[in-house]
């Protein structure tokens, strides 16, 4: 591509809301523009990088036996009513025609096709995938293309006859994902994840560590334990059970509101304080008991409750129900609430909690004796420095970007949409499904997050829109023009994608700056000085390292550099 004819609108000024490197650089280097919040136009250079990412994904999906589909973005609403997902928040963007849905994912359509054509165990397993546009009404689209309201996803779905089959399809995807991200030159790690609104049993996320990432993960500093904070646990000890329980006593605690104030006031360790957190679950009052200052983790809460709508109870609502304020609520003699507790409190006694009367607490609470509990669950968010559940070393907490997600779905969708097969004995069974996603924009943006410096993007050769950026330093020199055209032609003929800066009205300094900003892996600099010795200069963008190469050796040198 000749720069003089190319549409590469680089820009200096970037909007203030572009705060992360990939967002800023995709704007500056002319890769994309924002049409409206969370909706982006991919310009030719940006789309080229996306196409490369898609091709790597496609090759790796084909390598595990995946078969490519193209499913429609517009779906009949009826399908989504059948699986109960018609009203999942974020999922449906806008429905002008009232009976259509802009698909946020495609389990429903896949299940619909399978329900018509999968008949026997002989038709299984299948891996079906597509690379297609998705729509989600993300509440706060930011971070550039990392969180769009319209974005491109590789989504695949496995159909199996048995749990073992699902395990195999899942492992194949894990392998394909490892190969894909490795080939794209991205440093990533894998964490255990929550299955969220999708239903299902096992799930893992492929993550990139990034200070601006919207996900938070716990990583062991010693072993390979890694989990999304939504499910991460630590080896924090349980609250010990004292021998014998004294009678519950009411204690006057005037103006004591927080756990810290209470610990200070009563001179007791925080572990003895059972904090009440109040919610509504599907409308019904719910009290959650946590140890001291432990933070309730909403994802764990939703998983423990088996899904449904949860929301913190408002102060007025609570006061109306109990006559007391938040700081004085406790589990003893509390009417009308379902009560659950964090696992750390399992069977504990000698606890202090609210008396359901302002300015009073109860001491000597024995959860076995005094409270009707609906169950103990792991409900707390781990803190950095706590012990790894696997090896006991310290955990750290990092921000990360989710590149891909693999789920064992099970039979939720096959049951809802009647996807059954006949097993070897002729019995009808629901097909066991898996679902697997990769964000194409996220591959490109993560590659830029990891590949940039003060001067611009540093592309890995796998995703670089062009492998080589040829720079004709001075277009007034006949020798330069001739040699630059020659090398551009030879590179192109050798199948090497080159961008040729042949602009006549642009200073050498400007061209060098643009080449660094656009970030192709290698620059071939054609200048008068080198040409006097029959040489051109090759600059490696990543390191800035420069070598002079005889004019005729440029193509073979670039070829071997690209093979590295
Ligand atoms: P997140 O937690 O970031 O919202 P998700 O769990 O909703 O992601 P999935 O439904 O599993 O994501 O989608 C599969 C993949 O699609 C994700 O791993 C991610 O790479 C990509 N993806 C999801 N939502 C977006 C989005 N709004 N913009 C760009 N890519 C996205
Ligand atoms: Mg999401």
């Amino acid at each position: 591509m000749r720069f003089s004819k190319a549409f590469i609108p680089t820009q200096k000024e970037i909007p203030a809301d572009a705060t992360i490197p990939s967002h800023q650089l995709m704007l500056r280097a002319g890769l994309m523009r924002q049409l409206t919040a969370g909706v982006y136009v991919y310009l030719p250079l940006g789309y080229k990088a996306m196409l490369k990412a898609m091709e790597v994904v496609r090759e790796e999906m084909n390598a595990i036996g995946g078969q490519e589909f193209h499913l429609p973005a517009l779906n009949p609403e009826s399908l989504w009513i059948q699986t109960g997902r018609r009203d999942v928040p974020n999922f449906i963007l806008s429905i002008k025609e009232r009976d259509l849905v802009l698909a946020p994912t495609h389990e429903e359509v896949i299940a619909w096709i399978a329900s018509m054509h999968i008949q026997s165990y002989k038709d299984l397993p299948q891996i079906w995938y597509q690379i297609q546009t998705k729509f989600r009404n993300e509440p706060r689209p930011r971070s550039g293309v990392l969180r769009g309201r319209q974005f491109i996803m590789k989504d695949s779905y496995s159909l199996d006859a048995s749990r073992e089959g699902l395990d195999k399809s899942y492992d194949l995807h894990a392998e394909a994902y490892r190969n894909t991200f490795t080939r794209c030159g991205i440093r990533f790690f894998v964490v255990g994840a929550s299955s969220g609104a999708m239903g299902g049993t096992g799930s893992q996320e492929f993550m990139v560590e990034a200070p601006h990432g919207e996900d938070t993960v716990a990583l062991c500093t010693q072993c390979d334990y890694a989990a999304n904070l939504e499910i991460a646990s630590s080896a924090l000890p349980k609250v010990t059970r004292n021998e014998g329980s004294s009678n519950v006593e009411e204690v006057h605690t005037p103006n004591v509101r927080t756990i810290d104030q209470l610990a200070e006031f009563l001179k007791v360790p925080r572990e003895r304080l059972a904090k009440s957190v109040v919610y509504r679950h599907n409308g019904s009052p719910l009290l959650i008991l946590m140890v001291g200052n432990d933070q309730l983790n909403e994802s764990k809460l939703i998983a423990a409750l088996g899904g449904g709508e949860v929301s913190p109870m408002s102060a007025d609502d609570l006061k109306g129900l109990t006559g007391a304020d938040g700081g004085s609520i406790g589990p003893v003699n509390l009417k009308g609430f379902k009560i659950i507790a964090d696992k750390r409190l399992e069977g504990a006694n000698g606890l202090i909690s609210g008396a359901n009367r302002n300015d009073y607490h109860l001491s000597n609470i024995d959860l076995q004796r005094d409270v009707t509990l609906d169950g103990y669950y792991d409900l707390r968010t781990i803190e950095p420095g706590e012990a790894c559940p696997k090896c006991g070393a310290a955990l750290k907490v990092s921000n990360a970007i989710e590149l891909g997600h693999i789920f064992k779905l099970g039979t939720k969708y096959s049951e809802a949409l009647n996807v059954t097969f006949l097993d070897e004995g002729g019995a009808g069974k629901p097909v066991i499904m898996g679902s697997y996603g990769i964000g194409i924009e996220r591959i490109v943006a993560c590659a830029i997050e990891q590949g940039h410096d003060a001067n611009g993007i540093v592309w890995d050769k796998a995703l670089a829109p062009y492998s080589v950026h040829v720079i004709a330093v001075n277009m007034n020199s006949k020798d330069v023009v001739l040699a630059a055209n020659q090398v551009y032609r030879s590179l192109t003929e050798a199948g090497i994608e080159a961008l040729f800066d042949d602009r006549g009205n642009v200073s050498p300094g400007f061209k060098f700056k643009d080449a660094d900003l656009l970030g192709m892996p290698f620059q071939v600099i054609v200048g008068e000085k080198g040409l006097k010795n029959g040489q051109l200069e090759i600059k490696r963008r990543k390191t800035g390292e420069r070598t002079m190469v005889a004019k005729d050796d440029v193509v073979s040198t670039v070829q071997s550099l690209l093979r590295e």
Side-chain angles (χ1 to χ4, degrees), residues 57 61 104-107 128-132 134 136 151-158 170 173-174 176-177 180-181 198 204-207 402-409 434-440 442-443:
V57 168
M61 284 307 301
T105 173
H106 279 91
E107 281 80 8
W128 295 348
Y129 79 97
Q130 63 169 342
I131 300 173
Q132 194 252 20
K134 299 279 182 278
R136 293 185 184 178
F151 60 97
I152 300 176
M153 194 200 289
K154 183 290 295 176
D155 46 324
S156 45
Y157 306 88
S158 60
Y170 182 90
H173 275 87
Y177 279 33
T180 299
F181 301 135
M198 305 286 288
Q204 282 168 303
E205 289 164 338
F206 290 71
M207 293 286 192
E402 179 194 320
L403 267 180
H405 199 168
I406 56 179
F407 282 107
K408 291 183 183 175
L409 285 178
S435 145
Y436 317 86
I438 293 180
I440 301 298
R442 286 194 190 178
I443 293 184

Short mmCIF file of all heavy atoms in Angstrom, two decimals, residues 57 61 104-107 128-132 134 136 151-158 170 173-174 176-177 180-181 198 204-207 402-409 434-440 442-443:
data_model
loop_
_atom_site.label_atom_id
_atom_site.label_comp_id
_atom_site.label_asym_id
_atom_site.label_seq_id
_atom_site.Cartn_x
_atom_site.Cartn_y
_atom_site.Cartn_z
N VAL A 57 -7.55 -17.09 14.91
CA VAL A 57 -8.63 -17.76 15.65
C VAL A 57 -9.25 -18.86 14.77
O VAL A 57 -9.46 -19.99 15.21
CB VAL A 57 -9.70 -16.73 16.07
CG1 VAL A 57 -10.95 -17.43 16.57
CG2 VAL A 57 -9.15 -15.78 17.13
N MET A 61 -9.42 -22.82 15.50
CA MET A 61 -10.72 -23.49 15.66
C MET A 61 -10.84 -24.65 14.67
O MET A 61 -11.31 -25.73 15.02
CB MET A 61 -11.87 -22.50 15.45
CG MET A 61 -12.13 -21.56 16.60
SD MET A 61 -12.35 -22.36 18.20
CE MET A 61 -13.76 -23.42 17.86
N PRO A 104 -26.98 -11.09 21.61
CA PRO A 104 -25.80 -10.81 22.41
C PRO A 104 -24.85 -12.00 22.45
O PRO A 104 -23.70 -11.90 22.87
CB PRO A 104 -26.39 -10.58 23.80
CG PRO A 104 -27.61 -11.43 23.83
CD PRO A 104 -28.15 -11.46 22.43
N THR A 105 -25.32 -13.16 22.04
CA THR A 105 -24.59 -14.43 22.04
C THR A 105 -25.51 -15.39 21.29
O THR A 105 -26.60 -14.98 20.89
CB THR A 105 -24.32 -14.87 23.51
OG1 THR A 105 -23.75 -16.19 23.49
CG2 THR A 105 -25.60 -14.93 24.35
N HIS A 106 -25.07 -16.63 21.02
CA HIS A 106 -25.89 -17.45 20.12
C HIS A 106 -26.21 -18.86 20.60
O HIS A 106 -26.46 -19.74 19.77
CB HIS A 106 -25.27 -17.48 18.72
CG HIS A 106 -25.57 -16.25 17.91
ND1 HIS A 106 -24.77 -15.13 17.90
CD2 HIS A 106 -26.62 -15.95 17.09
CE1 HIS A 106 -25.30 -14.21 17.11
NE2 HIS A 106 -26.42 -14.67 16.61
N GLU A 107 -26.25 -19.08 21.89
CA GLU A 107 -26.64 -20.42 22.38
C GLU A 107 -28.01 -20.81 21.82
O GLU A 107 -28.23 -21.96 21.42
CB GLU A 107 -26.74 -20.45 23.92
CG GLU A 107 -25.42 -20.56 24.65
CD GLU A 107 -24.71 -19.23 24.75
OE1 GLU A 107 -25.31 -18.20 24.39
OE2 GLU A 107 -23.54 -19.23 25.16
N TRP A 128 -19.23 -26.22 16.67
CA TRP A 128 -19.70 -25.23 15.69
C TRP A 128 -19.27 -23.85 16.14
O TRP A 128 -19.41 -23.50 17.31
CB TRP A 128 -21.24 -25.27 15.62
CG TRP A 128 -21.79 -26.58 15.10
CD1 TRP A 128 -21.10 -27.60 14.49
CD2 TRP A 128 -23.17 -26.99 15.14
NE1 TRP A 128 -21.97 -28.61 14.16
CE2 TRP A 128 -23.24 -28.28 14.54
CE3 TRP A 128 -24.34 -26.40 15.61
CZ2 TRP A 128 -24.44 -28.98 14.41
CZ3 TRP A 128 -25.54 -27.10 15.48
CH2 TRP A 128 -25.59 -28.37 14.88
N TYR A 129 -18.74 -23.09 15.21
CA TYR A 129 -18.30 -21.75 15.61
C TYR A 129 -18.63 -20.72 14.55
O TYR A 129 -18.98 -21.06 13.41
CB TYR A 129 -16.80 -21.73 15.92
CG TYR A 129 -15.88 -21.67 14.72
CD1 TYR A 129 -15.35 -20.46 14.28
CD2 TYR A 129 -15.52 -22.83 14.02
CE1 TYR A 129 -14.48 -20.41 13.19
CE2 TYR A 129 -14.66 -22.79 12.94
CZ TYR A 129 -14.15 -21.57 12.52
OH TYR A 129 -13.31 -21.51 11.44
N GLN A 130 -18.52 -19.47 14.94
CA GLN A 130 -18.65 -18.37 13.99
C GLN A 130 -17.82 -17.20 14.50
O GLN A 130 -17.41 -17.15 15.67
CB GLN A 130 -20.10 -17.95 13.85
CG GLN A 130 -20.67 -17.42 15.15
CD GLN A 130 -22.02 -16.74 14.99
OE1 GLN A 130 -22.42 -16.36 13.89
NE2 GLN A 130 -22.73 -16.57 16.09
N ILE A 131 -17.55 -16.26 13.61
CA ILE A 131 -16.88 -15.02 14.00
C ILE A 131 -17.84 -13.94 13.56
O ILE A 131 -18.04 -13.72 12.36
CB ILE A 131 -15.51 -14.88 13.31
CG1 ILE A 131 -14.62 -16.07 13.71
CG2 ILE A 131 -14.86 -13.55 13.68
CD1 ILE A 131 -13.29 -16.13 12.96
N GLN A 132 -18.50 -13.29 14.52
CA GLN A 132 -19.67 -12.51 14.14
C GLN A 132 -19.92 -11.37 15.13
O GLN A 132 -19.36 -11.35 16.23
CB GLN A 132 -20.87 -13.47 14.07
CG GLN A 132 -22.09 -12.95 13.40
CD GLN A 132 -23.17 -12.66 14.40
OE1 GLN A 132 -22.88 -12.51 15.57
NE2 GLN A 132 -24.40 -12.59 13.93
N LYS A 134 -21.74 -9.05 17.83
CA LYS A 134 -22.65 -9.22 18.98
C LYS A 134 -23.10 -7.85 19.47
O LYS A 134 -22.37 -6.86 19.31
CB LYS A 134 -21.90 -9.90 20.13
CG LYS A 134 -21.38 -11.28 19.79
CD LYS A 134 -22.49 -12.31 19.91
CE LYS A 134 -22.00 -13.69 19.62
NZ LYS A 134 -21.91 -14.01 18.18
N ARG A 136 -24.59 -5.81 22.91
CA ARG A 136 -24.92 -5.82 24.34
C ARG A 136 -25.02 -4.39 24.82
O ARG A 136 -24.15 -3.58 24.53
CB ARG A 136 -23.84 -6.54 25.15
CG ARG A 136 -23.78 -8.01 24.82
CD ARG A 136 -22.79 -8.73 25.70
NE ARG A 136 -22.72 -10.12 25.27
CZ ARG A 136 -21.93 -11.04 25.79
NH1 ARG A 136 -21.14 -10.70 26.79
NH2 ARG A 136 -21.93 -12.26 25.33
N PHE A 151 -19.68 -5.55 19.09
CA PHE A 151 -18.30 -6.04 18.98
C PHE A 151 -18.31 -7.38 18.27
O PHE A 151 -19.35 -7.99 18.08
CB PHE A 151 -17.65 -6.15 20.37
CG PHE A 151 -18.37 -7.09 21.32
CD1 PHE A 151 -17.94 -8.40 21.49
CD2 PHE A 151 -19.48 -6.66 22.04
CE1 PHE A 151 -18.60 -9.27 22.36
CE2 PHE A 151 -20.15 -7.52 22.91
CZ PHE A 151 -19.71 -8.82 23.07
N ILE A 152 -17.11 -7.80 17.85
CA ILE A 152 -17.00 -9.06 17.12
C ILE A 152 -16.51 -10.15 18.06
O ILE A 152 -15.53 -9.95 18.79
CB ILE A 152 -16.06 -8.93 15.91
CG1 ILE A 152 -16.59 -7.85 14.96
CG2 ILE A 152 -15.92 -10.26 15.18
CD1 ILE A 152 -15.68 -7.58 13.78
N MET A 153 -17.21 -11.25 18.06
CA MET A 153 -16.81 -12.36 18.91
C MET A 153 -16.63 -13.61 18.07
O MET A 153 -17.39 -13.84 17.13
CB MET A 153 -17.90 -12.62 19.97
CG MET A 153 -17.44 -13.52 21.12
SD MET A 153 -18.81 -14.26 22.03
CE MET A 153 -19.49 -12.86 22.89
N LYS A 154 -15.62 -14.39 18.42
CA LYS A 154 -15.61 -15.78 17.96
C LYS A 154 -16.37 -16.52 19.03
O LYS A 154 -15.96 -16.53 20.19
CB LYS A 154 -14.18 -16.30 17.85
CG LYS A 154 -14.05 -17.72 17.30
CD LYS A 154 -14.53 -18.85 18.19
CE LYS A 154 -13.76 -19.00 19.47
NZ LYS A 154 -14.31 -20.05 20.37
N ASP A 155 -17.51 -17.08 18.66
CA ASP A 155 -18.21 -17.91 19.64
C ASP A 155 -18.33 -19.31 19.09
O ASP A 155 -18.61 -19.51 17.91
CB ASP A 155 -19.58 -17.32 20.02
CG ASP A 155 -20.42 -16.85 18.84
OD1 ASP A 155 -19.84 -16.33 17.87
OD2 ASP A 155 -21.66 -17.01 18.89
N SER A 156 -18.06 -20.28 19.96
CA SER A 156 -18.24 -21.66 19.52
C SER A 156 -19.04 -22.42 20.55
O SER A 156 -19.15 -22.01 21.70
CB SER A 156 -16.91 -22.35 19.21
OG SER A 156 -15.99 -22.10 20.21
N TYR A 157 -19.59 -23.52 20.09
CA TYR A 157 -20.51 -24.31 20.90
C TYR A 157 -20.18 -25.77 20.65
O TYR A 157 -20.02 -26.17 19.49
CB TYR A 157 -21.96 -24.00 20.47
CG TYR A 157 -22.22 -22.50 20.52
CD1 TYR A 157 -21.94 -21.69 19.42
CD2 TYR A 157 -22.64 -21.89 21.71
CE1 TYR A 157 -22.11 -20.32 19.49
CE2 TYR A 157 -22.82 -20.52 21.77
CZ TYR A 157 -22.55 -19.73 20.65
OH TYR A 157 -22.71 -18.37 20.73
N SER A 158 -20.03 -26.53 21.72
CA SER A 158 -19.81 -27.96 21.54
C SER A 158 -21.07 -28.70 21.91
O SER A 158 -21.83 -28.29 22.80
CB SER A 158 -18.63 -28.43 22.40
OG SER A 158 -18.88 -28.18 23.77
N TYR A 170 -14.15 -29.27 25.81
CA TYR A 170 -13.69 -28.13 26.63
C TYR A 170 -12.16 -28.05 26.61
O TYR A 170 -11.58 -26.98 26.38
CB TYR A 170 -14.22 -28.34 28.05
CG TYR A 170 -13.91 -27.25 29.05
CD1 TYR A 170 -14.79 -26.18 29.22
CD2 TYR A 170 -12.79 -27.31 29.87
CE1 TYR A 170 -14.54 -25.20 30.18
CE2 TYR A 170 -12.54 -26.34 30.82
CZ TYR A 170 -13.42 -25.29 30.98
OH TYR A 170 -13.18 -24.33 31.92
N HIS A 173 -10.85 -26.79 23.39
CA HIS A 173 -10.96 -25.34 23.29
C HIS A 173 -9.86 -24.66 24.09
O HIS A 173 -9.27 -23.68 23.64
CB HIS A 173 -12.34 -24.86 23.75
CG HIS A 173 -13.36 -24.93 22.66
ND1 HIS A 173 -14.09 -26.05 22.40
CD2 HIS A 173 -13.75 -24.00 21.75
CE1 HIS A 173 -14.89 -25.83 21.38
NE2 HIS A 173 -14.71 -24.59 20.96
N ALA A 174 -9.60 -25.18 25.29
CA ALA A 174 -8.55 -24.57 26.12
C ALA A 174 -7.23 -24.58 25.35
O ALA A 174 -6.50 -23.59 25.34
CB ALA A 174 -8.42 -25.33 27.44
N ALA A 176 -6.90 -24.76 22.00
CA ALA A 176 -7.00 -23.85 20.86
C ALA A 176 -6.79 -22.40 21.33
O ALA A 176 -6.16 -21.58 20.64
CB ALA A 176 -8.35 -24.00 20.18
N TYR A 177 -7.33 -22.06 22.50
CA TYR A 177 -7.20 -20.69 23.01
C TYR A 177 -5.75 -20.39 23.36
O TYR A 177 -5.23 -19.32 23.05
CB TYR A 177 -8.10 -20.50 24.26
CG TYR A 177 -9.55 -20.22 23.90
CD1 TYR A 177 -10.13 -20.79 22.78
CD2 TYR A 177 -10.34 -19.39 24.68
CE1 TYR A 177 -11.46 -20.54 22.45
CE2 TYR A 177 -11.67 -19.13 24.36
CZ TYR A 177 -12.22 -19.71 23.25
OH TYR A 177 -13.53 -19.45 22.92
N THR A 180 -3.96 -19.87 20.14
CA THR A 180 -4.37 -18.62 19.49
C THR A 180 -3.64 -17.43 20.12
O THR A 180 -3.03 -16.62 19.42
CB THR A 180 -5.89 -18.41 19.65
OG1 THR A 180 -6.56 -19.51 19.03
CG2 THR A 180 -6.34 -17.11 19.02
N PHE A 181 -3.72 -17.33 21.44
CA PHE A 181 -3.16 -16.14 22.09
C PHE A 181 -1.63 -16.15 22.02
O PHE A 181 -1.00 -15.10 21.89
CB PHE A 181 -3.67 -16.02 23.53
CG PHE A 181 -5.18 -15.93 23.60
CD1 PHE A 181 -5.90 -16.67 24.52
CD2 PHE A 181 -5.88 -15.13 22.71
CE1 PHE A 181 -7.29 -16.60 24.57
CE2 PHE A 181 -7.27 -15.06 22.73
CZ PHE A 181 -7.98 -15.80 23.67
N MET A 198 -24.90 -17.45 32.58
CA MET A 198 -24.98 -18.44 31.51
C MET A 198 -25.46 -19.80 32.01
O MET A 198 -25.83 -20.65 31.22
CB MET A 198 -23.62 -18.62 30.85
CG MET A 198 -23.01 -17.33 30.35
SD MET A 198 -23.81 -16.73 28.87
CE MET A 198 -23.21 -17.91 27.69
N GLN A 204 -13.50 -21.22 32.73
CA GLN A 204 -12.20 -20.58 32.88
C GLN A 204 -12.11 -19.37 31.97
O GLN A 204 -12.72 -19.34 30.90
CB GLN A 204 -11.07 -21.55 32.49
CG GLN A 204 -10.76 -22.58 33.56
CD GLN A 204 -9.87 -23.68 33.01
OE1 GLN A 204 -10.20 -24.34 32.03
NE2 GLN A 204 -8.72 -23.84 33.65
N GLU A 205 -11.33 -18.39 32.44
CA GLU A 205 -11.12 -17.19 31.62
C GLU A 205 -9.65 -17.07 31.26
O GLU A 205 -8.79 -17.39 32.06
CB GLU A 205 -11.55 -15.95 32.41
CG GLU A 205 -13.06 -15.86 32.59
CD GLU A 205 -13.48 -14.88 33.68
OE1 GLU A 205 -12.67 -14.58 34.58
OE2 GLU A 205 -14.63 -14.43 33.65
N PHE A 206 -9.42 -16.56 30.05
CA PHE A 206 -8.06 -16.28 29.58
C PHE A 206 -7.86 -14.79 29.77
O PHE A 206 -8.61 -13.99 29.21
CB PHE A 206 -7.91 -16.72 28.12
CG PHE A 206 -7.92 -18.22 27.99
CD1 PHE A 206 -9.09 -18.94 28.18
CD2 PHE A 206 -6.75 -18.92 27.74
CE1 PHE A 206 -9.11 -20.32 28.11
CE2 PHE A 206 -6.75 -20.31 27.66
CZ PHE A 206 -7.93 -21.01 27.85
N MET A 207 -6.87 -14.46 30.57
CA MET A 207 -6.72 -13.09 31.06
C MET A 207 -5.40 -12.47 30.65
O MET A 207 -4.39 -13.17 30.54
CB MET A 207 -6.77 -13.09 32.59
CG MET A 207 -8.11 -13.46 33.16
SD MET A 207 -9.23 -12.08 32.93
CE MET A 207 -10.58 -12.57 33.98
N GLU A 402 -10.30 -9.63 30.28
CA GLU A 402 -10.72 -10.97 29.85
C GLU A 402 -10.69 -11.06 28.33
O GLU A 402 -11.42 -10.35 27.66
CB GLU A 402 -12.14 -11.23 30.38
CG GLU A 402 -12.69 -12.57 29.96
CD GLU A 402 -14.20 -12.66 30.20
OE1 GLU A 402 -14.69 -12.16 31.23
OE2 GLU A 402 -14.87 -13.22 29.32
N LEU A 403 -9.84 -11.96 27.83
CA LEU A 403 -9.70 -12.15 26.38
C LEU A 403 -10.67 -13.21 25.88
O LEU A 403 -11.18 -13.14 24.77
CB LEU A 403 -8.32 -12.70 26.08
CG LEU A 403 -7.17 -11.79 25.75
CD1 LEU A 403 -5.94 -12.64 25.51
CD2 LEU A 403 -7.49 -10.97 24.51
N GLY A 404 -10.84 -14.23 26.70
CA GLY A 404 -11.67 -15.34 26.26
C GLY A 404 -12.23 -16.07 27.46
O GLY A 404 -11.74 -15.93 28.58
N HIS A 405 -13.31 -16.81 27.21
CA HIS A 405 -14.02 -17.46 28.30
C HIS A 405 -14.49 -18.81 27.78
O HIS A 405 -15.07 -18.87 26.71
CB HIS A 405 -15.21 -16.57 28.69
CG HIS A 405 -15.76 -16.85 30.04
ND1 HIS A 405 -16.65 -16.03 30.65
CD2 HIS A 405 -15.54 -17.88 30.88
CE1 HIS A 405 -16.95 -16.53 31.84
NE2 HIS A 405 -16.30 -17.66 32.00
N ILE A 406 -14.24 -19.87 28.52
CA ILE A 406 -14.77 -21.19 28.13
C ILE A 406 -15.66 -21.73 29.26
O ILE A 406 -15.34 -21.63 30.42
CB ILE A 406 -13.64 -22.18 27.76
CG1 ILE A 406 -12.62 -22.34 28.90
CG2 ILE A 406 -12.90 -21.71 26.51
CD1 ILE A 406 -11.51 -23.34 28.58
N PHE A 407 -16.82 -22.23 28.85
CA PHE A 407 -17.86 -22.66 29.80
C PHE A 407 -18.31 -24.10 29.54
O PHE A 407 -18.57 -24.43 28.39
CB PHE A 407 -19.19 -21.93 29.52
CG PHE A 407 -19.33 -20.55 29.96
CD1 PHE A 407 -19.31 -19.52 29.03
CD2 PHE A 407 -19.57 -20.25 31.28
CE1 PHE A 407 -19.51 -18.22 29.41
CE2 PHE A 407 -19.79 -18.94 31.66
CZ PHE A 407 -19.75 -17.92 30.73
N LYS A 408 -18.52 -24.83 30.61
CA LYS A 408 -19.27 -26.08 30.45
C LYS A 408 -20.72 -25.75 30.76
O LYS A 408 -21.07 -25.51 31.91
CB LYS A 408 -18.75 -27.13 31.43
CG LYS A 408 -17.35 -27.60 31.09
CD LYS A 408 -16.87 -28.69 32.02
CE LYS A 408 -15.43 -29.05 31.67
NZ LYS A 408 -14.85 -30.01 32.61
N LEU A 409 -21.54 -25.69 29.73
CA LEU A 409 -22.92 -25.26 29.93
C LEU A 409 -23.81 -26.35 30.51
O LEU A 409 -24.73 -26.08 31.26
CB LEU A 409 -23.54 -24.83 28.60
CG LEU A 409 -23.15 -23.50 28.00
CD1 LEU A 409 -23.85 -23.34 26.66
CD2 LEU A 409 -23.52 -22.36 28.93
N GLY A 434 -21.36 -26.98 25.47
CA GLY A 434 -20.34 -26.07 25.99
C GLY A 434 -20.39 -24.81 25.17
O GLY A 434 -20.90 -24.82 24.04
N SER A 435 -19.90 -23.72 25.72
CA SER A 435 -19.93 -22.45 24.99
C SER A 435 -18.62 -21.71 25.24
O SER A 435 -18.11 -21.71 26.37
CB SER A 435 -21.15 -21.67 25.46
OG SER A 435 -20.91 -20.30 25.48
N TYR A 436 -18.07 -21.12 24.19
CA TYR A 436 -16.70 -20.63 24.25
C TYR A 436 -16.57 -19.33 23.45
O TYR A 436 -16.95 -19.30 22.28
CB TYR A 436 -15.75 -21.67 23.65
CG TYR A 436 -16.07 -23.11 24.09
CD1 TYR A 436 -17.01 -23.88 23.39
CD2 TYR A 436 -15.46 -23.66 25.20
CE1 TYR A 436 -17.32 -25.18 23.79
CE2 TYR A 436 -15.77 -24.96 25.62
CZ TYR A 436 -16.71 -25.71 24.90
OH TYR A 436 -17.02 -26.98 25.31
N GLY A 437 -16.06 -18.27 24.08
CA GLY A 437 -15.99 -16.99 23.37
C GLY A 437 -14.59 -16.37 23.38
O GLY A 437 -13.82 -16.58 24.32
N ILE A 438 -14.31 -15.63 22.32
CA ILE A 438 -13.10 -14.81 22.28
C ILE A 438 -13.50 -13.46 21.69
O ILE A 438 -14.19 -13.40 20.67
CB ILE A 438 -12.01 -15.42 21.36
CG1 ILE A 438 -11.46 -16.73 21.95
CG2 ILE A 438 -10.86 -14.43 21.15
CD1 ILE A 438 -10.38 -17.38 21.09
N GLY A 439 -13.07 -12.37 22.32
CA GLY A 439 -13.34 -11.05 21.78
C GLY A 439 -12.24 -10.65 20.80
O GLY A 439 -11.08 -10.59 21.17
N ILE A 440 -12.64 -10.43 19.53
CA ILE A 440 -11.63 -10.10 18.52
C ILE A 440 -11.00 -8.74 18.80
O ILE A 440 -9.78 -8.57 18.77
CB ILE A 440 -12.25 -10.14 17.10
CG1 ILE A 440 -12.84 -11.53 16.80
CG2 ILE A 440 -11.23 -9.72 16.04
CD1 ILE A 440 -11.84 -12.68 16.81
N ARG A 442 -10.70 -7.40 21.59
CA ARG A 442 -9.85 -7.49 22.78
C ARG A 442 -8.48 -8.06 22.45
O ARG A 442 -7.50 -7.71 23.08
CB ARG A 442 -10.54 -8.30 23.88
CG ARG A 442 -11.66 -7.50 24.51
CD ARG A 442 -12.16 -8.08 25.81
NE ARG A 442 -13.38 -7.39 26.20
CZ ARG A 442 -14.10 -7.69 27.28
NH1 ARG A 442 -13.72 -8.66 28.09
NH2 ARG A 442 -15.18 -7.01 27.56
N ILE A 443 -8.41 -8.97 21.47
CA ILE A 443 -7.09 -9.48 21.06
C ILE A 443 -6.25 -8.30 20.58
O ILE A 443 -5.11 -8.12 21.00
CB ILE A 443 -7.22 -10.52 19.92
CG1 ILE A 443 -7.92 -11.79 20.42
CG2 ILE A 443 -5.84 -10.85 19.35
CD1 ILE A 443 -7.99 -12.90 19.37
#
